[in-house]
Amino acid sequence: MADTTHGALAPTYHPLPVTIARAHGTHVWDTDGNEFLDFLSGYSALNFGHLHQGLVAAAMTQLRQVTLTSRAFDHDRLEEFAQRLVEVVGPLTTGGEDSLVVPMNTGAEAVETAIKAVRKWGYDVRGVPEDQATIVVAGGNFHGRTTTLVGLSDDPAARDGFGPFTPGFVRVTFGDLAAVADAVDDTTVAVLMEPVQGEAGVVVPPDDFWPGLRALTAEKNIALVADEIQSGLGRTGTTLACELWDVRPDLVCLGKALGGGIVAVSAVVGRPEILGVLTPGTHGSTFGGNPLACAVGVAALDLLSTGQYQARAAASGKVLQERLDALVDQGLLTGARCVGLWAGIDVDPSLGTGRELCEALLERGVLAKDTHDATIRLSPPLSIVQPELEMALDILEESLVALRDGGPGGGPGEGSDDGGSDGEAQAEEPGQDTEEPTPAEEPDTEAPATEPPGAAEKPAAEPPSDTDKDATETAEAVVETTPSTDTADIPDEKPEDKPAPPRKRRRSRLSPAAG
């Protein structure tokens, strides 16, 4: 395995031992030319896959125009970006077509922006006494790495050693509506939660939780804020995860996939009565809403507007759920939670740790990352095609069996020092060929004309190199080399295709043969 230790870097991450040099669609290549399937997707930042042709073209075109003006001046892409966000996301919030947008850069900045907005709204509009505003948050949350946001966490690795923390937050059990109701009082200005908790291991609340939150906050005139930085923009089979329960939050925090894996882009979208309190001088960002970010963000929103990626996530998610349930039935996993194309799987401690399973996957050509010792999140690009998904799930089963039997890739590995948070997993060439699986049903999806990851010393399809090609040439290279980048074969989402609310399950009703 490649050495990923770098003396000049502070030891804030403990990545798997591989160095990625190139990437394309659902595939990445290391510095030795070995090929792997990416089942992390930058924690949903790469929902559209690596180097999506449309996003690359948008970025390259904008790079030749203007990339930064600061917010001291307007630029010709800013209002376009804001309006596109309102068109795609506004109707999914209580702000509707009158929604406002605050553009920022990172997910943490978006959440901090929402916190500032609801506090100021509480003071200026609600009349909450100065410096007494409180916000209800959930245990198991992950909202970012700033000192305020780690103060909301109950994860010792994220929290310990960074206090004192910002006051004004009340933490309750995620999914416990009665606990939220008990925590609310006259000082409460907002309830801030992830619809599905990502860092905690894709934890899905009871089906009545988010509808109950909406009813409670509306009755008490409290802002409902959804952190959809990981769950949003197609990952759950819907544009926002809140749609799974027919809930419209007052504010939604977006990031990661909004920048398409090309540039950091985030935003808060929602009720003008709340975001309108942020007037000149009260909030801002030098890079927030910069021209390059806006150009890529518009292109990403255009991809979502067709419904193709949401439909693909919903369809592929059904296959993912069935295969994972079968692994639970076989005793290879102790639990599996799936919502859209996003899953959290729990490794039986008798088989090994999450880190050890990631190392076994790595040896066979699949990149994933553990979180909280025994759990792994699976979140491939939404552009993944059926044979790639089936192949990776076959590799997952093989890796679990190897851990159980103590075979190749099943030996002990180092424990994770970073808790699985926002780090990237990498892999080296697997030691054996993987038999190509039979594609499961997916409408009009063709199998990629490529060998399984690691089947050859060099990739079957070379990704574009760093040359001075123009945007059109780069786009053509991308679409030719990666079948999984193209979603033209996926039908637009129809109302009847809307996925059912996610399930929390430990044992499947399906037989192991279902996988």
Side-chain angles (χ1 to χ4, degrees):
M1 293 183 181
D3 183 7
T4 57
T5 301
H6 304 283
L9 288 174
T12 55
Y13 285 89
H14 183 210
L16 292 175
V18 121
T19 301
I20 299 304
R22 296 173 294 171
H24 202 221
T26 58
H27 299 258
V28 300
W29 289 262
D30 69 8
T31 50
D32 296 322
N34 301 312
E35 179 184 5
F36 313 97
L37 281 172
D38 183 356
F39 257 59
L40 184 66
S41 301
Y43 300 98
S44 291
L46 291 157
N47 279 3
F48 308 111
H50 293 272
L51 298 181
H52 184 283
Q53 57 174 337
L55 302 181
V56 170
M60 292 181 69
T61 298
Q62 191 61 44
L63 279 167
R64 296 189 178 94
Q65 304 299 319
V66 58
T67 59
L68 181 66
T69 63
S70 87
R71 289 299 302 278
F73 318 106
D74 279 339
H75 60 79
D76 62 349
R77 305 306 301 267
L78 183 59
E79 183 58 35
E80 177 189 8
F81 172 62
Q83 188 57 45
R84 200 74 180 100
L85 262 175
V86 170
E87 291 169 359
V88 174
V89 178
L92 307 178
T93 75
T94 57
E97 61 183 15
D98 296 321
S99 292
L100 292 181
V101 172
V102 181
M104 300 298 288
N105 306 285
T106 66
E109 288 178 284
V111 177
E112 290 269 14
T113 297
I115 289 171
K116 290 178 68 174
V118 296
R119 281 179 168 173
K120 188 165 177 56
W121 170 74
Y123 298 134
D124 294 356
V125 179
R126 283 267 312 279
V128 174
E130 186 176 357
D131 293 337
Q132 292 185 29
T134 59
I135 297 172
V136 178
V137 298
N141 72 73
F142 182 82
H143 296 294
R145 294 289 189 181
T146 64
T147 50
T148 292
L149 299 183
V150 298
L152 314 186
S153 174
D154 53 6
D155 178 6
R159 179 185 174 93
D160 289 357
F162 299 113
F165 299 113
T166 307
F169 298 94
V170 180
R171 190 168 59 238
V172 301
T173 301
F174 182 62
D176 188 339
L177 186 60
V180 178
D182 289 342
V184 166
D185 61 25
D186 291 341
T187 68
T188 307
V189 296
V191 173
L192 164 64
M193 294 186 184
E194 304 158 87
V196 177
Q197 291 190 325
E199 176 70 14
V202 191
V203 177
V204 182
D207 287 342
D208 63 351
F209 182 63
W210 273 88
L213 286 182
R214 179 67 283 178
L216 174 66
T217 53
E219 176 188 352
K220 302 289 187 180
N221 194 22
I222 295 168
L224 180 59
V225 184
D227 178 349
E228 295 249 17
I229 291 161
Q230 282 196 50
S231 63
L233 305 181
R235 174 57 59 185
T236 61
T238 50
T239 302
L240 297 183
C242 285
E243 292 180 79
L244 295 169
W245 300 282
D246 293 318
V247 167
R248 292 192 303 158
D250 298 306
L251 299 181
V252 60
C253 300
L254 300 171
K256 294 193 184 295
L258 193 57
I262 294 177
V263 63
V265 185
S266 69
V268 183
V269 184
R271 278 178 59 188
E273 297 89 347
I274 299 175
L275 293 180
V277 303
L278 297 177
T279 54
T282 60
H283 193 59
S285 168
T286 298
F287 283 87
N290 67 76
L292 180 59
C294 288
V296 175
V298 167
L301 291 165
D302 285 345
L303 293 176
L304 284 169
S305 67
T306 69
Q308 293 178 335
Y309 282 91
Q310 297 90 319
R312 174 168 286 205
S316 297
K318 293 177 183 178
V319 176
L320 180 61
Q321 178 77 69
E322 289 176 357
R323 292 291 304 270
L324 295 178
D325 284 347
L327 294 179
V328 172
D329 282 344
Q330 295 176 53
L332 293 173
L333 295 172
T334 60
R337 300 160 299 281
C338 188
V339 50
L341 199 51
W342 197 23
I345 60 175
D346 302 323
V347 184
D348 188 334
S350 68
L351 301 184
T353 65
R355 174 78 180 199
E356 289 167 355
L357 177 56
C358 286
E359 290 173 346
L361 289 168
L362 178 152
E363 292 185 3
R364 292 163 175 82
V366 173
L367 306 184
K369 193 69 172 70
D370 57 303
T371 181
H372 300 295
D373 299 325
T375 299
I376 293 177
R377 281 168 290 175
L378 302 177
S379 54
L382 306 185
S383 56
I384 193 168
V385 293
Q386 191 76 39
E388 293 172 330
L389 178 60
E390 295 279 9
M391 180 193 305
L393 292 169
D394 287 343
I395 291 172
L396 172 62
E397 181 173 1
E398 177 186 332
S399 300
L400 287 164
V401 170
L403 284 177
R404 183 193 64 192
D405 298 342
E414 296 181 87
S416 174
D417 292 334
D418 65 4
S421 303
D422 290 343
E424 294 187 358
Q426 268 87 42
E428 68 176 339
E429 185 175 15
Q432 58 186 2
D433 291 346
T434 302
E435 182 179 350
E436 184 174 354
T438 301
E441 293 183 3
E442 182 176 346
D444 300 323
T445 301
E446 296 181 0
T450 182
E451 295 185 59
E457 182 177 352
K458 292 186 183 246
E462 287 289 324
S465 59
D466 288 327
T467 67
D468 255 345
K469 294 179 181 179
D470 63 21
T472 301
E473 292 172 334
T474 300
E476 289 174 351
V478 172
V479 76
E480 287 174 2
T481 56
T482 305
S484 57
T485 299
D486 181 15
T487 62
D489 55 338
I490 303 298
D492 289 347
E493 186 176 14
K494 300 175 183 178
E496 60 266 26
D497 294 332
K498 182 176 179 181
R503 298 173 292 157
K504 293 195 300 180
R505 305 182 60 183
R506 290 188 64 81
R507 290 291 170 186
S508 167
R509 300 191 189 100
L510 301 173
S511 70

